[in-house]
C-alpha cells in the first residue's frame, strides 16, 4: 500500500509549534529594506527578493561563524523602538501565516542597545510588539501564542545580567533563557553563574549545544549547567553506535530532553549534509523527544511549512511524524503544564484531525 504524500497546502494548515526561532534571524526582507533606510544602514542590496537570495547564499557557507555574521544587517535595524516593535509584531503575524499556534521567540537584548535603549526597555518594547501581533492574529482568526526566551551571548560576559532580566520579566511574557552565539571555544559552563541563578529562581532554560561542538558541549549543557532542553543537539548521534545508545544519549532520550532540531540551518552551517541524512529522522525513530524548528527564517530562507515539507519529500516523514514533533514541542514548551495539555488537546490534535 502506498501512503499518499501530504501536499504543502495541507501542511500549511496543520497546527504547528516552534521552540527555536531567533527574532533577529526572521525579519521580512521588505521590512529590513525599509527600516535600514530609516536608520541609514547600508544593505548588500535594497531589492527585497535579491536580499532574501543574498541571505540564503551567504548563510550557505557551511560555517557557523559566517552564518552568524549575516545577522549584522538585521541587528542594525533593531536598535530603536520602531524597529523592535515592527519586527516583533510581524514576527507573530508570520508565524500565524505559517500555521504556528505556539511559538517561542528568542533574541539577545544585549545586542540591541546601540540606539540608547536600556535592557529592560528592549524587553518591554519587544513584548509590546509581540502583544500587538498576537492581538491582530487572534482578530484574523489565526490565534498564536508566543513566549519569549532571552539569550545571553556566549562570547560575552553579560549572561548573568540577562538572567536577571529573564527573572524580572517572567510574568510579562518571558518564559525562559538561552545562550547563543558561536559555540566552538565558548563552553556553556563559562556562564554557570547565570544558570545557577536561574535554577535557584526556577526559570527554565535551553542551551545551544552539539551543533558546531560535539558531545562535551551537550554533556556540559545538561549535566553541569542543568539545561532542560538542547538547542540543535544533532551531534548526540556521536554517542550512538549501531543503534546502541551511550550514557549521554541514553540520558537525553530517557529523561525526555527535547532536542530543538533545525534541519535547514544545520545544512547551512555544515552540521548535517542533507535533509535525507539529517540525524533528525534516525533520532525520531529511536524515540528521542525531537522537535522541529526553523532557527532563522530569513537567514535560512525557511518556514515551518517548508521544514515539514522537506522532511516529507526527502526523508519519508508521515503526517503522524509531523504530529509527533508538534506534540513533542508543546510538551517541552516553557509554559505551565495545564496550558500545554490544553493546547495539545484543544488545538493540536483536533487540528490534525480536521486537516487530514
Ligand atoms: Zn539557534
Amino acid at each position: 500500500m502506498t501512503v499518499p504524500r501530504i501536499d504543502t497546502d495541507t501542511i500549511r494548515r496543520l497546527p504547528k509549534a516552534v521552540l527555536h526561532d531567533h527574532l533577529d534571524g526572521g525579519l521580512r526582507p521588505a521590512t529590513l529594506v525599509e527600516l535600514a533606510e530609516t536608520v541609514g544602514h547600508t544593505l548588500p542590496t535594497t531589492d527585497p527578493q535579491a536580499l532574501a537570495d543574498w541571505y540564503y547564499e551567504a548563510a550557505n557557507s557551511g560555517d557557523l561563524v559566517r552564518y552568524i555574521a549575516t545577522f549584522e544587517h538585521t541587528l542594525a535595524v533593531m536598535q530603536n523602538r520602531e524597529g523592535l516593535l515592527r519586527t516583533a509584531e510581524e514576527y507573530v503575524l508570520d508565524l500565524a501565516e505559517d500555521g504556528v499556534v505556539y511559538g517561542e521567540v528568542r533574541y539577545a537584548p544585549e545586542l540591541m542597545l546601540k540606539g540608547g535603549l536600556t535592557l529592560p526597555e528592549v524587553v518591554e518594547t519587544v513584548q509590546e510588539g509581540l502583544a500587538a501581533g498576537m492581538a491582530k492574529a487572534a482578530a484574523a482568526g489565526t490565534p498564536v501564542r508566543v513566549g519569549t526566551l532571552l539569550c545571553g551571548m556566549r562570547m560575552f560576559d553579560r549572561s548573568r545580567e540577562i538572567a536577571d532580566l529573564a527573572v524580572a520579566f517572567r510574568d510579562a511574557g518571558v518564559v525562559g533563557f538561552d545562550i547563543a552565539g558561536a559555540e566552538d571555544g565558548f563552553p556553556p559552563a563559562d556562564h554557570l553563574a547565570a544558570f545557577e541563578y536561574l535554577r535557584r529562581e526556577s526559570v527554565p532554560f535551553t542551551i545551544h549545544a552539539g551543533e558546531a561542538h560535539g558531545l562535551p558541549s551537550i554533556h556540559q549543557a545538561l549535566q553541569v549547567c542543568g539545561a532542560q532542553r538542547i538547542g540543535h543537539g544533532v551531534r548526540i548521534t556521536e554517542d550512538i553506535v549501531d543503534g546502541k545508545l551511550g550514557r549521554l544519549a541514553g540520558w537525553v532520550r530517557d529523561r525526555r530532553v527535547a532536542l530543538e532540531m533545525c534541519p535547514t540551518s544545520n545544512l547551512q552551517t555544515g552540521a548535517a549534509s542533507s535533509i535525507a541524512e539529517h540525524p533528525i529522522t534516525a533520532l525520531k525513530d529511536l524515540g528521542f523527544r525531537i522537535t522541529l524548528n526553523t532557527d532563522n527564517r530569513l537567514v535560512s530562507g525557511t518556514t515551518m511549512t517548508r521544514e515539514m515539507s522537506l522532511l516529507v519529500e526527502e526523508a519519508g516523514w508521515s503526517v503522524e511524524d509531523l504530529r509527533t514533533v508538534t506534540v513533542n514541542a508543546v510538551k517541552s514548551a516553557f509554559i505551565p503544564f495545564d496550558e500545554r495539555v490544553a493546547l495539545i488537546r484543544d488545538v493540536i490534535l483536533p487540528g490534525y484531525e480536521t486537516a487530514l
Side-chain angles (χ1 to χ4, degrees):
M1 191 183 85
T2 52
V3 182
R5 280 269 171 81
I6 327 149
D7 62 86
T8 305
D9 282 340
T10 306
I11 291 177
R12 185 167 292 111
R13 285 197 306 273
L14 293 172
K16 303 174 191 70
V18 57
L19 299 182
H20 191 126
D21 196 38
H22 294 261
L23 182 63
D24 48 326
L27 276 69
R28 295 178 185 172
T31 297
L32 182 48
V33 169
E34 277 179 40
L35 290 175
E37 169 118 35
T38 65
V39 297
H41 176 79
T42 307
L43 293 170
T45 164
T46 55
D47 174 68
Q49 186 53 51
L51 186 61
D53 295 343
W54 177 87
Y55 259 97
Y56 193 75
E57 292 297 315
N60 258 337
S61 61
D63 174 4
L64 181 60
V65 175
R66 273 191 65 194
Y67 181 93
I68 289 173
T70 61
F71 287 78
E72 148 198 357
H73 300 295
T74 51
L75 283 167
V77 305
M78 297 174 72
Q79 304 297 331
N80 60 25
R81 184 172 157 77
E82 183 199 358
L84 288 175
L85 276 179
R86 180 155 170 200
T87 304
E89 179 177 325
E90 290 181 354
Y91 177 93
V92 179
L93 297 174
D94 291 351
L95 254 53
E97 172 76 26
D98 196 16
V100 174
V101 296
Y102 179 77
E104 287 181 8
V105 61
R106 63 183 74 192
Y107 66 95
E110 65 191 87
L111 300 180
M112 295 161 185
L113 304 175
K114 289 183 185 153
L117 295 174
T118 63
L119 287 172
E121 284 168 352
V122 168
V123 180
E124 279 163 15
T125 308
V126 171
Q127 289 308 130
E128 193 181 327
L130 294 174
M134 283 188 267
K136 279 192 186 170
T142 51
V144 48
R145 176 169 176 185
V146 176
T148 301
L149 307 180
L150 299 183
C151 300
M153 295 306 291
R154 56 203 312 153
M155 59 288 214
F156 303 137
D157 58 4
R158 300 191 76 166
S159 56
R160 178 63 178 76
E161 251 179 292
I162 305 304
D164 266 333
L165 209 55
V167 172
F169 283 87
R170 63 189 309 172
D171 294 322
V174 172
V175 300
F177 177 87
D178 169 43
I179 53 165
E183 186 182 354
D184 237 352
F186 300 98
D190 286 355
H191 302 276
L192 206 50
F195 299 126
E196 284 177 345
Y197 173 66
L198 290 164
R199 292 213 303 265
R200 272 204 309 279
E201 294 295 328
S202 305
V203 170
F205 54 90
T206 177
I207 295 179
H208 276 80
E211 181 186 14
H213 199 250
L215 293 176
S217 173
I218 300 175
H219 181 266
Q220 211 178 74
L222 290 171
Q223 314 300 33
V224 179
C225 303
Q228 285 80 51
R229 303 194 316 232
I230 292 292
H232 297 289
V234 272
R235 291 180 64 176
I236 195 65
T237 50
E238 292 168 17
D239 197 36
I240 304 172
V241 180
D242 297 331
K244 193 173 178 322
L245 277 57
R247 300 277 182 214
L248 183 62
W251 177 274
V252 171
R253 185 190 65 178
D254 301 339
R255 305 271 70 78
R256 316 307 295 143
V257 176
L259 299 177
E260 305 160 356
M261 309 207 99
C262 313
T264 296
S265 168
N266 289 161
L267 296 194
Q268 294 186 305
T269 60
S273 56
S274 71
I275 294 290
E277 286 167 22
H278 190 284
I280 190 168
T281 303
L283 291 168
K284 165 185 71 68
D285 293 342
L286 284 166
F288 282 78
R289 183 168 287 180
I290 295 305
T291 70
L292 178 65
N293 303 276
T294 39
D295 206 8
N296 297 291
R297 286 169 297 111
L298 167 64
V299 179
S300 290
T302 200
T303 59
M304 284 299 289
T305 300
R306 180 174 175 274
E307 295 295 317
M308 286 183 160
S309 301
L310 284 172
L311 288 169
V312 167
E313 296 296 325
E314 296 179 27
W317 280 40
S318 66
V319 72
E320 286 77 16
D321 293 328
L322 301 180
R323 183 177 60 198
T324 297
V325 292
T326 306
V327 169
N328 281 350
V330 178
K331 279 183 173 172
S332 293
F334 286 158
I335 54 171
F337 175 72
D338 51 346
E339 297 171 27
R340 305 201 304 262
V341 170
L343 252 178
I344 293 170
R345 186 192 56 213
D346 302 339
V347 181
I348 307 288
L349 297 180
Y352 269 78
E353 289 291 320
T354 321
L356 297 177

